[in-house]
Amino acid sequence: MKRRTMMIHTFKKSSYKLSAAAVLLIVALGAIFLSMASDDGKSAELGTTDQAASPNRELSPAYDNTFSWFSSLDRALDFPKYDFKVPDYLPEGYQLENITYSINFSNADRTDLIDVATIRFVANFGTDREQTIEMIASKGQGNLLEHNQLWGANYPYHNAKETPKYRQKAVMIGNTEGTLFTDKRTLKKKPETSKSFYWQDDSVWYAINYFNEHLSQEDLTKMVQSFVFPQQVKHIRYDGDGNSFVLYNEKDLLAAKNILGLKVRIPTKLSKLNLDYSILLKADDQNTDYGFRQVKDTMLTVYSPTRDSSMYGVSNYLSLYQSKEPLFDASKLSFTRKLEIDGVEISAYEDQKHIYVIPDKKRKWPIYLWKQDDVYYTAVFSGMDQEQEDNLKEIISAPLR
């Protein structure tokens, strides 16, 4: 999962930075997938629909029932979880960043499993003044404190004798009774004090994670008092308009094609490569942090070697981009050769000046550019020196969708 997640941060950044959200996402993925055992023992109390009844993930099998992310609340609600409330008030300047679903547990028998829905809001995205607020809803046998999901509480789960580096206090926020956790660590890179307000409503536990410099007591109270079910929201936009989004199935594919204005090729399997995920990258995306900021809307599809392949490895993958206009400026690349596959002329390059890719002494990052059926294709191979032409041939011969 580190490879799959870090993939989107491979290409060089311009003025954008790796946000706290992206770092937390990587950490969360690592915790989720490293602790994952079998699928047995999932708590019936969670109310999670069986996989067979859930929307399929044909176009992004890497995102399964253990982790999914969405650009809009409506799309997230298409993937059934338990019912939970969301805030209908945000401080000025904040907007939706993303929604994620995950499961967390630390015991092999999953006795402390919790099903978690997380909504992140961002202000001043991509600047030095970026601010985030996180809302969490959870249900299950465990709790957010012990799973280190509360910003204001660094829970010492590795050593029970360790003194907790947080302060907790029972408080009333408006008419809601809960616990306020405050981080009291002194060795921190940032001066902000992280806090978490944690409370229960019916069978669902909620938390608001924030930095005290980013959220006033008045705004915290307004947020807590505004929680309603998604169908009752009136004052906040949860539509994710302009954001990049994952393609899970045909519904997302149709939305992506309408944005791109073209049909795409997404073979579900290539020569010794499996499809990991597909993402529609919006050029004007203001909420999602990607290392490579393309100038046009594009479809990104990522493939990785099968486990029985000699190419298998966490750093080996193929990134395929499809767009209406060229994505890379070929004049900034170093031309290596031309090849023709099934009547399609392909130009191969290397990025010796590191305009688009990060320098790496262990790999060359070959880049292939071609145009086919009025679509511009960019294929970037990472760590796979074998069978590149076979994979290109399969892409070229794949049907348009």
Side-chain angles (χ1 to χ4, degrees):
M1 284 310 300
K2 180 180 179 181
R3 169 184 52 72
R4 292 168 179 164
T5 306
M6 290 302 292
M7 159 57 218
I8 59 176
H9 302 287
T10 294
F11 295 98
K12 288 187 67 176
K13 302 175 184 294
S14 52
S15 62
Y16 290 82
K17 62 187 179 64
L18 185 65
S19 69
V23 174
L24 288 172
L25 179 61
I26 294 165
V27 172
L29 283 171
I32 293 166
F33 284 89
L34 284 176
S35 62
M36 193 159 45
S38 68
D39 286 332
D40 297 325
K42 185 173 289 187
S43 174
E45 185 180 347
L46 299 180
T48 304
T49 304
D50 291 339
Q51 177 71 22
S54 298
N56 68 68
R57 293 168 169 81
E58 175 201 2
L59 300 176
S60 287
Y63 295 97
D64 56 16
N65 276 351
T66 58
F67 181 82
S68 304
W69 74 267
F70 308 90
S71 65
S72 71
L73 182 58
D74 281 348
R75 192 64 178 117
L77 296 177
D78 284 342
F79 290 69
K81 290 282 180 181
Y82 50 87
D83 292 331
F84 59 88
K85 296 179 179 180
V86 299
D88 197 20
Y89 170 83
L90 286 175
E92 185 177 355
Y94 281 89
Q95 58 184 328
L96 175 69
E97 181 173 355
N98 59 53
I99 298 129
T100 61
Y101 288 157
S102 64
I103 61 170
N104 288 36
F105 57 89
S106 58
N107 300 326
D109 58 5
R110 299 190 178 194
T111 54
D112 64 343
L113 185 147
I114 54 175
D115 205 329
V116 181
T118 303
I119 303 179
R120 291 182 63 86
F121 305 97
V122 63
N124 305 314
F125 175 78
T127 73
D128 292 337
R129 298 181 296 110
E130 182 173 303
Q131 301 173 354
T132 56
I133 299 173
E134 186 176 84
M135 166 264 160
I136 303 179
S138 69
K139 194 172 184 180
Q141 301 299 322
N143 62 69
L144 293 172
L145 173 62
E146 293 178 356
H147 284 289
N148 265 321
Q149 299 294 302
L150 303 178
W151 293 3
N154 183 36
Y155 188 75
Y157 60 93
H158 289 303
N159 184 355
K161 296 181 180 179
E162 182 181 342
T163 303
K165 294 179 174 60
Y166 61 86
R167 181 172 61 253
Q168 68 181 80
K169 179 181 179 181
V171 296
M172 287 288 295
I173 302 293
N175 58 5
T176 301
E177 181 179 358
T179 303
L180 183 66
F181 293 88
T182 304
D183 186 359
K184 63 178 184 179
R185 288 176 294 171
T186 57
L187 299 176
K188 298 185 298 182
K189 293 183 179 180
K190 293 186 177 182
E192 298 97 337
T193 299
S194 51
K195 293 188 175 183
S196 302
F197 180 58
Y198 191 32
W199 76 99
Q200 187 177 27
D201 185 351
D202 291 331
S203 60
V204 179
W205 285 90
Y206 294 91
I208 295 179
N209 289 326
Y210 64 99
F211 293 105
N212 63 331
E213 286 82 358
H214 299 169
L215 186 65
S216 67
Q217 184 65 31
E218 179 183 359
D219 281 331
L220 173 63
T221 301
K222 289 181 179 179
M223 277 193 69
V224 173
Q225 295 298 97
S226 73
F227 270 62
V228 295
F229 287 109
Q231 298 78 7
Q232 301 170 312
V233 170
K234 296 180 180 179
H235 304 104
I236 295 181
R237 292 187 60 177
Y238 282 97
D239 57 11
D241 183 43
N243 288 5
S244 303
F245 57 88
V246 175
L247 276 65
Y248 290 106
N249 52 34
E250 291 293 331
K251 181 175 182 177
D252 299 307
L253 178 59
L254 178 59
K257 289 194 296 184
N258 287 337
I259 292 172
L260 292 171
L262 49 83
K263 292 184 177 181
V264 296
R265 288 179 165 86
I266 308 181
T268 55
K269 190 175 182 61
L270 297 174
S271 179
K272 298 184 179 179
L273 299 182
N274 286 331
L275 171 65
D276 270 1
Y277 56 83
S278 302
I279 299 179
L280 190 283
L281 298 178
K282 289 286 293 176
D284 55 353
D285 188 340
Q286 293 299 304
N287 294 346
T288 312
D289 196 0
Y290 290 91
F292 172 55
R293 306 301 299 192
Q294 75 287 345
V295 296
K296 299 295 180 182
D297 296 337
T298 185
M299 175 80 72
L300 165 62
T301 307
V302 179
Y303 297 87
S304 62
T306 58
R307 289 184 176 272
D308 59 353
S309 169
S310 61
M311 298 181 293
Y312 182 77
V314 295
S315 299
N316 298 341
Y317 50 83
L318 162 62
S319 306
L320 176 65
Y321 296 87
Q322 303 174 59
S323 53
K324 205 168 187 176
E325 297 183 34
L327 202 59
F328 287 10
D329 184 349
S331 66
K332 296 180 180 180
L333 301 172
S334 300
F335 176 79
T336 58
R337 66 186 177 115
K338 277 194 179 294
L339 59 155
E340 184 176 308
I341 300 177
D342 292 344
V344 177
E345 187 177 273
I346 301 175
S347 298
Y349 299 86
E350 290 182 3
D351 187 7
Q352 295 182 353
K353 296 180 180 179
H354 307 300
I355 303 298
Y356 299 106
V357 300
I358 298 172
D360 190 337
K361 295 180 180 179
K362 297 181 180 180
R363 62 193 69 229
K364 294 182 179 181
W365 297 97
I367 299 171
Y368 296 90
L369 306 180
W370 74 94
K371 184 180 181 181
Q372 181 184 2
D373 297 323
D374 294 324
V375 179
Y376 287 89
Y377 293 85
T378 301
V380 184
F381 287 87
S382 171
M384 295 189 296
D385 298 328
Q386 306 173 26
E387 302 172 359
Q388 292 181 4
E389 292 190 22
D390 289 341
N391 289 313
L392 293 174
K393 180 179 177 64
E394 292 186 51
I395 294 171
I396 288 172
S397 62
L400 289 168
R401 300 182 63 169

